[in-house]
Amino acid sequence: MLTPGSVIGILGGGQLGRMIALAAAELGLKAHVLCPDKDSPAFHVCAHHICAAYDDFEALERFAAGVDVVTYEFENVPLATAEFLAARVPLKPGAKALAITQDRLLEKTFVQEQDIETAPFAGVDDLASLETAVAALGLPAVLKTRRFGYDGKGQVMIRPGDDLTAAWHALGRQSAILEGFVSFKREVSVVAARRADGAFSAFDVTENVHREHILHTSTVPATLTASAAVQARAIARTIGDALDYEGVFAVELFVVCSGSTERVIVNEIAPRVHNSGHWTQDGAVTSQFEQHVRAIAGWPLGEVARIGRAEMTNLIGADVHDWHALLAEPGTHVHLYGKDEARAGRKMGHVVRVRRDPEACTNVSDEGC
Amino acid sequence: MLTPGSVIGILGGGQLGRMIALAAAELGLKAHVLCPDKDSPAFHVCAHHICAAYDDFEALERFAAGVDVVTYEFENVPLATAEFLAARVPLKPGAKALAITQDRLLEKTFVQEQDIETAPFAGVDDLASLETAVAALGLPAVLKTRRFGYDGKGQVMIRPGDDLTAAWHALGRQSAILEGFVSFKREVSVVAARRADGAFSAFDVTENVHREHILHTSTVPATLTASAAVQARAIARTIGDALDYEGVFAVELFVVCSGSTERVIVNEIAPRVHNSGHWTQDGAVTSQFEQHVRAIAGWPLGEVARIGRAEMTNLIGADVHDWHALLAEPGTHVHLYGKDEARAGRKMGHVVRVRRDPEACTNVSDEGC
């Protein structure tokens, strides 16, 4: 267990690392950040950072020597880096969670091994196996790289009649996974925390809307049946246990209907704090960032109760130019990441709007199928 | 008006500077801190700091060159320092607020000039003027240094029969003020924000309990009549306007009775964020730290509504050793300052407990006289 004054090492210096560092500071902990980008937003909020590549082992050695625990803000930490650090200082979440979640094929196989439903999928290593997979799953389907995809990058939609060779080349002829099309009603996620001793706590299920493959809004309570919400939470717990997970993670889910019954199936797992949990900063008693720090510190998990209806909206690219108008909206919480350049598609900040009406804390709104 | 990405310079690296820096970061601003203490808690949460004396003008020159605005966490900034900086970069709040509030005699005189009541007082420059003051105000009374007092330091209680020469020597024979005894029912404060254009916003009146001259708890809503609450807020506005104030400030008040009518009289003014406003971090829509940043940035002031009944308790010295038990209390928000040594009387952190029951947002509880 960490004591106040300890140092949390964070791999990755983006907005997630920055918000972990800020949450650590509120709890009397220090943060050191390692990131290759010299303009990393997280560097601004720490007294110590190392600007170095993730495979600069001399830098990793110095980093490990100065921290009491290492965590990360992204799932694409190279496994060699994770193992090098884990040999020197506790790595939380552990390398197992990384190894599985940074490979879409391993991840989906792992989820099915827990008797949890996913979209139908098949591994693709060459054009022949792509043809076999298409025959098995049908079209439309999505061909995705096994590794390094995010926000819609590294994927190609294949529709009936499309040329498979073209799709295979478009993806760069690399190890891939074909995912069958799921006709979902909506997308939701569970952001949960687990400690080494199995203590588990999940925030309320969040309903997510994407635009151009990037999260646009997250809303709580989500529109789904109480039984689907219970199922979503149980899935998160099963996954957390199976990964011996320490820290906060997110499970993205599709809400689908079977006749009049709603159920959820797993889309993907993120072994880190998650954009769909940003509403907790202003809409829950404990934020996901504080919860992550508590979990990796081995401290009691915080209360996850909501304090109202909350909606988080991402500020993507030029959206951030509305900052002044947003600051003037009563009760709107503005979070900006300190990034200089508002490039298209870049996450620049987010806002959380909370409605504190008394009925706001019913757990789910049940619309049914 | 600042734009996101701007740099706020903070004089003073204690917990107040630290929490201003953290609030600035959430709004996409950077913080640079200047403080003479190498272990300053605020250094931990900024990429840039300067460890230098407040009268190191070479260091102040460098500090001013790297920031877009300067603010401070304590009222004892030397005036020469304030003026040196103000000649180079906007200083907010301005030097006028500092000059008046760092001298108890100037401050009380200024308050009375606004037709606002204070405890009776008289300036004391030598033993003869102390004798005159005692004759005028009666005993008991408190003899305080005009400058550099805080948390009960720099003051001597004089009771009937006490030796005035001994009191005068105990205080170090320096310029002082004698304050007549006020029989107060309780102590309250108003934490308010004012922008350069006169925009004003006050958090709900807070009830404060001190132990050994150090703030122990702050509770909202305060127990005072609605008319006394209105008066308290009006006093804060008058003082803010008269000081051309920019930023957050606190007015500490005594609640006293005249027959069956409650009124408030000013005890002191703090030209900065204030310990009695810490509850706003978890108990109000906008924290006093964010509000200070908004005000000095020239941005819209944030919503000050409470989200429940709140109680802030300081963790003084060894109190902080209860950190683990406090983290385990559901709904208790723990704030630790990252100070290494839990010396007696040292402010190590605070906790905020919020009760979100529906009736929690009535504005005042009216007990009457």
Side-chain angles (χ1 to χ4, degrees), chain A residues 2-345:
Chain A
L2 297 188
T3 51
S6 300
V7 182
I8 295 184
I10 303 170
L11 291 171
Q15 66 270 13
L16 300 181
R18 176 180 167 103
M19 291 186 278
I20 293 169
L22 291 172
E26 282 293 351
L27 294 170
L29 297 163
K30 300 183 183 78
H32 289 192
V33 173
L34 186 143
C35 187
D37 306 323
K38 69 175 172 41
D39 294 327
S40 295
F43 289 172
H44 304 159
V45 299
C46 306
H48 294 281
H49 70 260
I50 295 178
C51 187
Y54 295 120
D55 58 358
D56 176 343
F57 291 94
E58 183 276 322
L60 293 172
E61 187 79 58
R62 273 187 293 131
F63 178 64
V67 304
D68 297 299
V69 63
V70 170
T71 190
Y72 40 86
E73 61 150 18
F74 68 121
E75 56 271 43
N76 291 319
V77 174
L79 279 186
T81 302
E83 284 159 7
F84 181 89
L85 289 169
R88 286 156 179 79
V89 65
L91 176 73
K92 302 185 180 189
K96 180 180 181 184
L98 271 181
I100 290 174
T101 60
Q102 66 185 214
D103 182 313
R104 291 180 194 281
L105 184 60
L106 294 186
E107 180 178 298
K108 285 217 159 45
T109 304
F110 162 81
V111 171
Q112 288 200 345
E113 284 169 0
Q114 315 311 315
D115 291 322
I116 296 168
E117 189 181 1
T118 67
F121 67 90
V124 170
D125 288 311
D126 49 29
L127 190 53
S129 56
L130 175 58
E131 286 162 354
T132 309
V134 166
L137 304 183
L139 292 177
V142 184
L143 184 66
K144 299 179 176 177
T145 56
R146 283 176 61 170
R147 298 167 58 88
F148 299 118
Y150 70 97
D151 287 350
K153 295 181 171 60
Q155 54 182 271
V156 177
M157 170 74 88
I158 308 180
R159 294 185 176 77
D162 282 357
D163 177 22
L164 296 190
T165 308
W168 176 240
H169 283 262
L171 208 69
R173 292 179 291 180
Q174 54 187 312
S175 284
I177 178 174
L178 188 74
E179 295 182 3
F181 189 77
V182 174
S183 172
F184 59 82
K185 285 182 69 180
R186 58 184 65 88
E187 295 177 272
V188 299
S189 58
V190 176
V191 174
R194 186 180 183 277
R195 278 198 326 202
D197 63 359
F200 175 87
S201 185
F203 292 100
D204 280 353
V205 178
T206 304
E207 182 169 338
N208 303 316
V209 173
H210 292 80
R211 281 191 185 167
E212 297 171 12
H213 296 287
I214 300 175
L215 183 64
H216 173 54
T217 59
S218 291
T219 308
V220 279
T223 310
L224 82 169
T225 59
S227 67
V230 167
Q231 190 203 358
R233 186 190 159 87
I235 284 172
R237 180 152 208 169
T238 300
I239 288 173
D241 287 344
L243 291 173
D244 299 322
Y245 200 86
E246 289 182 75
V248 162
F249 63 104
V251 182
E252 295 185 75
L253 302 142
F254 296 127
V255 180
V256 299
C257 279
S258 313
S260 64
T261 305
E262 263 186 20
R263 70 183 199 284
V264 291
I265 70 176
V266 169
N267 179 20
E268 63 182 67
I269 305 167
R272 53 172 170 81
V273 290
H274 193 258
N275 198 164
S276 72
H278 288 1
W279 66 268
T280 60
Q281 290 181 307
D282 306 295
V285 173
T286 305
S287 82
Q288 66 165 345
F289 301 100
E290 174 172 345
Q291 194 75 312
H292 183 65
V293 171
R294 285 172 174 254
I296 66 173
W299 292 356
L301 296 179
E303 188 183 333
V304 293
R306 275 190 297 115
I307 62 171
R309 295 176 175 275
E311 181 172 82
M312 188 286 310
T313 304
N314 270 334
L315 303 177
I316 307 290
D319 294 350
V320 77
H321 297 142
D322 294 337
W323 62 271
H324 193 271
L326 293 166
L327 283 168
E329 277 184 18
T332 293
H333 300 268
V334 178
H335 301 266
L336 301 176
Y337 305 151
K339 297 179 183 177
D340 281 341
E341 218 187 323
R343 291 194 296 272

Side-chain angles (χ1 to χ4, degrees), chain B residues 187-193 200-208 220 222 224 228-237 239 248-253 264 268-270 272 274 276-277 279 288:
Chain B
E187 293 177 272
V188 300
S189 58
V190 176
V191 174
F200 175 88
S201 186
F203 293 100
D204 281 353
V205 177
T206 304
E207 182 169 339
N208 303 315
V220 279
L224 81 170
V230 167
Q231 190 204 357
R233 185 190 160 86
I235 285 172
R237 180 150 208 172
I239 287 173
V248 162
F249 63 104
V251 181
E252 295 185 76
L253 302 142
V264 291
E268 63 182 67
I269 305 168
R272 52 171 170 82
H274 194 258
S276 71
W279 65 268
Q288 66 164 344

Side-chain angles (χ1 to χ4, degrees), chain B residues 43-82:
Chain B
F43 289 171
H44 304 158
V45 299
C46 306
H48 295 282
H49 71 259
I50 295 178
C51 187
Y54 295 119
D55 59 358
D56 177 343
F57 291 94
E58 183 276 323
L60 292 173
E61 187 80 57
R62 273 188 292 131
F63 178 65
V67 304
D68 298 298
V69 63
V70 170
T71 189
Y72 41 87
E73 63 152 16
F74 69 119
E75 56 270 43
N76 290 319
V77 175
L79 279 185
T81 302

